[in-house]
């Protein structure tokens, strides 16, 4: 992509649809998004509306992974930041960094991750999430030692949710990158 200033004025590849341009299926999904816990249609969902059935199914998965996951917010948001950084999804980083900090992730960990460095001073569960997610993204697999460590620390449900959040935010990151969703005007690139 181009420099920060050019990125901020570039329009997304999928244009925002006005209500008068939407099909009935798109209106239904739009209303569900706008009336739900997100209170709006942002991020990947404007582009996803081009495929309303997919958008609706993605919304359902997102509702669980964002608002009802078994993972504590600090770890869930850390996994999202790891995925955003891996994919270079700047909008995803912009949207979730404040949520990670609000959830209790230390700012220094987010800062190190933004610089593509292994964060210093992580708690044991943060180290596990970092190791698990980065290994999964880079190698597309985790070995028995790391898997057993994850289950011992988090339990099976949280490990499954960790895999789910990593996969879901991979989809989100790809959608944001391909759709070229810009950072809000005035926001600087996180890396």
């Amino acid at each position: 992509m181009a420099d920060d200033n050019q990125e901020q004025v570039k329009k997304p590849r999928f244009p925002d649809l006005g209500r008068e341009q939407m099909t009935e299926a798109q209106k239904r999904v739009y209303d569900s998004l706008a009336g739900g816990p997100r209170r709006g249609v942002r991020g990947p969902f404007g582009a996803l509306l081009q495929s309303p059935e997919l958008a609706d199914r993605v919304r359902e998965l997102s509702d669980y992974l964002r608002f009802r996951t078994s993972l504590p917010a600090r770890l869930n948001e850390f996994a999202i930041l790891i995925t955003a950084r891996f994919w270079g999804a700047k909008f995803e980083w912009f949207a979730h960094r404040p949520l990670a900090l609000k959830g209790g992730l230390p700012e220094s960990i987010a800062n190190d991750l933004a610089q593509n460095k292994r964060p210093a001073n992580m708690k044991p569960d943060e180290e596990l999430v970092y190791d698990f997610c980065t290994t999964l993204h880079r190698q597309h697999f985790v070995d028995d030692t790391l898997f057993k460590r994850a289950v011992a620390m988090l339990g099976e449900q949280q490990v499954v949710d960790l895999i789910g959040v990593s996969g879901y935010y991979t989809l989100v990151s790809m959608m944001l990158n391909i759709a070229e969703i810009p950072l809000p005007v005035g926001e600087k690139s996180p890396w």
Side-chain angles (χ1 to χ4, degrees):
M1 283 196 205
D3 67 29
D4 289 342
N5 293 333
Q6 194 173 9
E7 274 186 67
Q8 290 183 356
V9 295
K10 189 172 186 176
K11 293 182 181 180
R13 288 178 166 172
F14 296 101
D16 288 334
L17 297 173
R19 196 153 180 83
E20 67 285 350
Q21 299 167 300
M22 293 182 193
T23 66
E24 288 305 313
Q26 288 169 322
K27 288 177 186 176
R28 181 181 47 77
V29 176
Y30 182 94
D31 290 345
S32 179
L33 287 162
R38 273 171 208 78
R39 296 189 175 110
V41 180
R42 293 179 290 282
F45 286 102
L48 281 165
L49 279 174
Q50 302 302 318
S51 179
E53 186 171 344
L54 177 61
D56 198 39
R57 291 171 190 253
V58 167
R59 178 200 52 78
E60 288 180 25
L61 181 59
S62 175
D63 285 353
Y64 174 74
L65 292 170
R66 279 278 317 278
F67 306 111
R68 296 187 308 274
T69 181
S70 66
L71 288 163
R74 172 178 54 89
L75 299 180
N76 198 58
E77 293 295 334
F78 187 32
I80 294 168
L81 292 183
I82 291 165
T83 303
R85 186 62 184 107
F86 178 80
W87 282 94
K90 294 175 183 179
F91 187 92
E92 195 63 38
W93 184 274
F94 161 79
H96 283 272
R97 185 179 190 278
L99 298 173
L101 300 181
K102 182 179 177 186
L105 188 73
E107 188 170 17
S108 63
I109 291 176
N111 292 344
D112 284 349
L113 187 60
Q115 297 303 311
N116 244 354
K117 294 191 287 189
R118 179 183 178 86
N121 303 317
M122 290 185 282
K123 295 176 182 173
D125 57 355
E126 293 163 349
E127 285 183 349
L128 171 72
V129 167
Y130 180 84
D131 292 344
F132 192 94
C133 292
T134 57
T135 300
L136 182 58
H137 286 304
R138 292 175 185 158
Q139 298 177 13
H140 314 290
F141 185 78
V142 297
D143 63 23
D144 285 342
T145 302
L146 182 52
F147 178 78
K148 288 175 184 175
R149 186 175 137 217
V151 170
M153 184 170 285
L154 300 176
E156 290 178 343
Q157 182 179 357
Q158 287 188 1
V159 170
V160 169
D161 284 357
L162 184 59
I163 297 164
V165 78
S166 296
Y168 171 73
Y169 281 94
T170 292
L171 166 67
V172 169
S173 294
M174 289 190 298
M175 186 63 65
L176 291 167
N177 287 350
I178 296 299
E180 295 185 343
I181 304 298
L183 290 171
V185 173
E187 287 295 324
K188 293 182 180 181
S189 175
W191 45 77

